[in-house]
Amino acid sequence: MENCIFCKIINGDIPSERVYEDENMVIIKDVNPQAAIHLLLLPKEHYADIEEMTYAQAHTLAECVKKLSEMTKQLGLENGFRLVSNKGKHGCQSVGHLHIHILGGEQLGDRMG
Ligand code: AMP
């Protein structure tokens, strides 16, 4: 997608701190971290959000999340983490390319809203 910042990051047109990449996803460090560890899981395929996501893309995303669960030690998340995906205005989504925030590296608060 031409004007999508995350597509540009995935393609290497915009620099990022990549911590993992495979055929389906890139995991980068968020530029504005909200926790000791704040990563973003970016599916390589462009779709805006879970409403636009196809069932095939949902299947791929589930595989990405499962893979993430197998990398917790190398990512420093072995004591737990939180996954968040903001959607739309009320969800405060600011980038229209589905992404999952991965938060951890410290004790997180118990409020989510
Ligand atoms: P959201 O507000 O849920 O759409 O999340 C977008 C996230 O992308 C925010 O946490 C931003 O800090 C992050 N972000 C925006 N631009 C970049 C970038 N160039 N590299 C890394 N993270 C970014």
Side-chain angles (χ1 to χ4, degrees):
M1 185 62 94
E2 216 170 278
N3 282 319
C4 171
I5 185 169
F6 285 169
C7 284
K8 288 180 180 168
I9 285 174
I10 291 162
N11 294 334
D13 298 329
I14 292 180
S16 66
E17 279 197 71
R18 258 168 223 241
V19 299
Y20 179 76
E21 177 171 9
D22 65 21
E23 68 277 20
N24 294 317
M25 66 168 157
V26 170
I27 300 178
I28 63 169
K29 291 189 182 177
D30 196 294
V31 278
N32 184 23
Q34 310 278 327
I37 296 175
H38 185 173
L39 307 173
L40 297 171
L41 187 163
L42 311 178
K44 284 190 170 175
E45 266 193 85
H46 179 93
Y47 47 99
D49 54 38
I50 58 168
E51 195 177 352
E52 198 178 282
M53 176 173 69
T54 65
Y55 278 91
Q57 287 165 337
H59 182 83
T60 302
L61 185 63
E63 287 186 348
C64 294
V65 171
K66 180 59 193 158
K67 194 165 273 184
L68 171 69
S69 79
E70 294 164 355
M71 298 190 295
T72 53
K73 201 162 183 192
Q74 83 188 61
L75 297 175
L77 298 167
E78 63 270 35
N79 290 325
F81 55 89
R82 178 173 294 158
L83 302 182
V84 176
S85 189
N86 295 326
K87 150 75 178 153
K89 182 172 178 289
H90 279 190
C92 298
Q93 182 178 8
S94 63
V95 179
H97 177 125
L98 184 130
H99 50 283
I100 298 179
H101 296 263
I102 304 161
L103 301 147
E106 64 180 327
Q107 179 62 56
L108 301 176
D110 55 9
R111 267 185 63 83
M112 284 191 283

